[in-house]
Amino acid sequence: MKEFEKFERIGTEKHRSYYVPFDEKDEVKTVYGIVDRLSSSRFLSLDGTWGIKGLSHVEDFRLDEETEKTVPVPSCVQMHGYDRIQYLNDRYPFPVMLPKLPYENPCWHYRREFDLDKKAGEKYYLNFEGVDSAFYLYVNGKFKGYSQISHATSEFDVTELLRGGKNVIDVLVLKWCISTYLECQDKFRFSGIFRSVYLLTRPENHITDYKIETKLTSGGAELAFFNESPVEVDLTLENGGKTTVPAHECGKIFVENAKPWTAEEPTLYTLEIRACGEKIIEKVGFREISTDKSVFRINGEAVKLKGVNRHEFSCETAAAISLDDIVKDINLMKELNVNAVRTSHYPNRPEFYLLCDALGLYVMDEADLEMHGACSRDGRYDIGMWQEYAENGFFAPGITDRHVSLVERDKNRACVIMWSLGNESSFGKAFFEGAKYVRERDGTRPVHYEGLQNADPKYYYTDLVDVVSTMYSSPMTIQGKVIDNPKETRPFVFCEYTHAMGNSCGDIAEYWDMIYKNEQMMGAFVWEWADHAIKTDKGFLYGGDFGEEEHDGNFCADGLLSPDRKFKSGALEMKAVYGGKTKSEVKDVEIPEHKGKARSLTMECDGHTGEITSLKVDGKEILKDRVRLNIMRYIDNDRHVVRHWIDRCHIDRCKPQIFTCEKRDNYFRFEGALAANCLMPALYFELVYEIKDNSLYATVKYKLADYVESLPRVGLEFAVDKEFENFSYVGFGPVESYSDKHVACEYGYYESSAKENYDMNYVRPQESGSHFASKFLKVGNLFSVTAEKPFSFSVNPFTTKQLIDTKHSFELEENDFVNVCVDLAMRGIGSHSCGPELPKQYEIPRSAENTFKFTF
């Protein structure tokens, strides 16, 4: 069996804590408040320009071949003209032939030359912080080793292979290896050396590893330092004194009146670790974690995790992210009242945790593990098929290695308050050894794993998992499964909820009403932080835009923020709820007086469709498109019910069928239905248009057909000249609002414009800019709208049909008009793109009536 068809790593050092040694004479500098490793004389960065050659098969590799081109490291090869960009959610990207891999397996030969002043008595360690998916390493023409686990650090002792002067590193990176079966995460599938590479110079005898634990006491705090190195170390702790810890022993330092570390007040104390002429700087946060009587506590206080799931992704550099990218994300999270991050679905680059320590974020640290493709490997989607892989001992070494690497690297970080065994991989015998290692190696943090939900029921109450979790369950489901279940004594967290794809997060307030009221509910993590899409000169591209045959479309555009980190309305809704607000009520607001100035008003209607075809004010036509009944919209969250609307009801092909038409001076009344060929009507309606006192009164009455389960909206849609793009209103604003999504809004009087109202940050165009429970709308100086009952409306640059038919926002074509929708019923938003069905109270009524007054 080839190396890449086995889980063993060859020639690597044991997994260890992340640290960078400094020479004892070095001045330690900082960047963004964390140690700047570039200021260490013992750290040699090998990032930069490397040679590269693309190959079709592993066997094509020749060590002495020329690397024809160059590529930056770190980076992803697909962003530099190699292979092809591909987005897949839950499928393996190759034929599933466990344990075999396809012969067609692209790989890339990297080469880097560097000079070294090699010194006797020193050791040299080559570190790769992230390579997707596996790689062979050669140093000066000699094979050194092979490694895998894309998001784990691989460290090699290369002392014997290096020489003084010029050195050459050759790396063969494989697109796929056996580990790819364990790395089927919902993301763009990138390859290459996507994290930093560097060389560490160490004394012959040196610190290898250590474990730091903290405990709060009545008079302060205690630091326990477990020296796991073969050398004695000297410790100096800020405000806490000094001690010496012999090899393989534990030392303790007490700090009086120590200030505990929390995400809100991330107080850190500097710990200097010295041995054999080098020093390591750690920043220690004193905090304790407990799960007391089903309540999750930090420093003895019950904590609510107001979380987000975050992939490491940049729309410009893909999986190769910078410190600037990380800091920007953390600062935006703090601005949005986020206090916790789940590292979905792999450990992040090491500096992320240092920054979370310094800036204050709780971290659920997740192993680099997902076997989602097991569910669909026979052409169906069968969750039960996960179990076969989870019980398969073949995977046990690979899973265990991932759990070991997770805990060993990040065990000393204060921000890490919980371990997660992975994502969407069920649970079984292949997990036992790794889960036990996590439990035994670190008893200070609880263990989370949602995969129990899809495992054999006999595992559900395993003592290897401390925190129970689900994805996308409704609050009602959790009420029965957790809160009202006397057997469930573990704290509960939603590891994923309120799927933020497109116009979404309509249910976030409902979730937090439950979470805030129940101590067993420890919080929730929104899926997900930001859209995944690739920035191009045209705009943002998603799955299917790169010529790939297998893809999952725009399902990657499922974030609170746009790919370039602009807030969408879901982010603002989350901010309000995470800030403690779960309701926003209609208030008494003075309705602006609008006296009509029109001297004459005339209209014409189509007796066969019930549409207003002409509306003239003082003899001038104001319509750029006829006034028609509209029941259509597109949002990503409707993707599952669209099958009913389109496939069964054919609402995209429904046309008005008029049964009755009454006409007299300035008055039209229509009775009819919206129906498609081959089907019964989907909706029955009555429309009355009447001009009185130079105002147009439009009465809309409807009833859904019995076989129609729901519809997205019912209202009037028309267009007026672009010069009237400014508007004012009384309703929920200033951002878009819906029946289930208006906590971020306040009820009041607002002014806006069509351009400002529509959110161009949706990668895939969709319904946007509606305002719920409105009582007044004024469009330019053309007309105002009031009604007998509150209504929803939007004034946008684009028509409903444009938003349905256009696949990318950059493809939306400008119009010479603004589009107006006035709705007597608008369906809620929910999060059903990958969440629970919309609650019934947010569906449109099965019948309704309203009268709108248009004053010109």
Side-chain angles (χ1 to χ4, degrees), residues 435-667:
K436 287 176 182 176
Y437 184 93
V438 176
R439 165 75 76 240
E440 293 168 2
R441 180 61 166 142
D442 180 39
T444 69
R445 300 174 177 92
V447 176
H448 159 274
Y449 187 50
E450 183 273 341
L452 295 178
Q453 301 295 337
N454 298 304
D456 189 315
K458 68 184 179 184
Y459 297 128
Y460 189 72
Y461 292 103
T462 174
D463 60 3
L464 294 174
V465 175
D466 305 297
V467 174
V468 67
S469 169
T470 67
M471 298 177 180
Y472 309 115
S473 301
S474 68
M476 184 180 299
T477 299
I478 298 308
Q479 183 72 40
K481 187 165 189 162
V482 177
I483 296 173
D484 296 338
N485 178 7
K487 288 184 66 178
E488 187 51 85
T489 59
R490 296 169 291 187
F492 174 85
V493 66
F494 288 101
C495 67
E496 295 178 22
Y497 82 119
T498 196
H499 195 259
M501 186 177 183
N503 189 346
S504 187
C505 303
D507 50 10
I508 190 169
E510 186 177 356
Y511 278 104
W512 278 84
D513 269 336
M514 168 180 276
I515 294 168
Y516 282 133
K517 291 173 184 175
N518 194 290
E519 279 200 317
Q520 190 174 6
M521 308 284 287
M522 58 188 283
F525 293 80
V526 175
W527 186 269
E528 65 172 312
W529 172 240
D531 290 339
H532 298 213
I534 305 299
K535 186 176 182 180
T536 67
D537 292 340
K538 295 188 297 183
F540 294 116
L541 301 181
Y542 49 74
D545 290 335
F546 307 97
E548 69 273 44
E549 292 182 7
E550 295 85 18
H551 63 85
D552 285 303
N554 71 313
F555 201 65
C556 53
D558 55 0
L560 294 159
L561 278 61
S562 65
D564 55 352
R565 301 316 197 251
K566 294 184 174 65
F567 294 167
K568 294 183 282 185
S569 60
L572 301 178
E573 192 81 352
M574 180 193 71
K575 178 181 180 179
V577 172
Y578 281 6
K581 181 184 176 188
T582 58
K583 287 182 173 57
S584 188
E585 306 288 353
V586 174
K587 300 175 182 176
D588 290 331
V589 176
E590 184 177 353
I591 303 300
E593 184 179 6
H594 182 220
K595 294 181 179 180
K597 297 181 180 180
R599 295 183 297 276
S600 68
L601 180 63
T602 61
M603 68 173 166
E604 296 177 8
C605 292
D606 186 330
H608 300 291
T609 64
E611 299 168 345
I612 299 177
T613 57
S614 174
L615 192 60
K616 293 182 179 179
V617 178
D618 296 336
K620 183 178 180 181
E621 180 62 58
I622 66 164
L623 293 181
K624 299 289 283 188
D625 196 6
R626 53 180 57 191
V627 180
R628 60 168 60 88
L629 198 61
N630 178 35
I631 60 172
M632 291 288 291
R633 79 173 187 191
Y634 174 85
I635 62 169
D636 291 318
N637 273 317
D638 291 341
R639 63 200 299 263
H640 297 298
V641 288
V642 161
R643 297 168 187 164
H644 173 74
W645 295 340
I646 303 298
D647 296 346
R648 183 169 179 196
C649 305
H650 294 183
I651 65 171
D652 57 327
R653 288 179 269 162
C654 280
K655 295 181 180 178
Q657 309 295 327
I658 301 302
F659 308 149
T660 302
C661 174
E662 296 181 26
K663 177 181 178 182
R664 54 180 183 266
D665 288 345
N666 295 324
Y667 177 92

Side-chain angles (χ1 to χ4, degrees), residues 223-235:
L223 179 146
F225 184 92
F226 298 87
N227 182 6
E228 299 175 347
S229 305
V231 297
E232 181 178 272
V233 301
D234 295 318
L235 305 180

Side-chain angles (χ1 to χ4, degrees), residues 66-139:
E66 291 295 319
T67 50
E68 304 159 344
K69 298 181 180 179
T70 60
V71 68
V73 168
S75 70
C76 301
V77 297
Q78 288 85 357
M79 300 296 286
H80 294 274
Y82 294 93
D83 196 37
R84 186 165 59 187
I85 296 173
Q86 181 183 34
Y87 164 64
L88 280 176
N89 170 20
D90 53 15
R91 291 177 287 167
Y92 288 123
F94 47 61
V96 183
M97 309 174 294
L98 184 72
K100 298 298 182 181
L101 292 159
Y103 174 67
E104 298 289 339
N105 186 3
C107 45
W108 297 274
H109 180 179
Y110 287 78
R111 179 173 292 146
R112 176 71 150 87
E113 297 183 0
F114 67 96
D115 291 322
L116 179 68
D117 180 15
K118 188 177 182 183
K119 297 176 181 176
E122 299 273 63
K123 301 199 75 172
Y124 297 88
Y125 295 90
L126 186 59
N127 281 257
F128 293 80
E129 289 190 333
V131 181
D132 197 328
S133 67
F135 66 100
Y136 292 86
L137 172 64
Y138 298 80
V139 178

Side-chain angles (χ1 to χ4, degrees), residues 58-73:
V58 176
E59 62 190 40
D60 294 341
F61 171 70
R62 297 291 180 271
L63 187 59
D64 59 354
E65 66 191 353
E66 291 295 319
T67 50
E68 304 159 344
K69 298 181 180 179
T70 60
V71 68
V73 168

Side-chain angles (χ1 to χ4, degrees), residues 590-594 728-731 747-750 773-779 783-787 790-791 793:
E590 184 177 353
I591 303 300
E593 184 179 6
H594 182 220
S728 57
Y729 64 99
V730 172
Y747 202 82
Y749 171 82
Y750 298 95
S774 297
K775 296 181 179 178
F776 172 81
L777 166 66
K778 182 170 181 282
V779 177
F783 65 87
S784 66
V785 183
T786 54
F791 58 95
F793 80 89

Side-chain angles (χ1 to χ4, degrees), residues 276-313:
C276 306
E278 66 178 10
K279 62 186 176 183
I280 295 168
I281 304 300
E282 284 281 3
K283 295 290 187 177
V284 177
F286 288 100
R287 58 106 184 92
E288 277 189 294
I289 302 161
S290 61
T291 52
D292 176 35
K293 295 179 180 178
S294 79
V295 180
F296 178 78
R297 300 180 188 276
I298 296 178
N299 304 331
E301 300 293 327
V303 170
K304 299 297 186 187
L305 301 178
K306 301 171 181 179
V308 294
N309 285 273
R310 175 181 175 271
H311 270 293
E312 285 192 318
F313 180 80

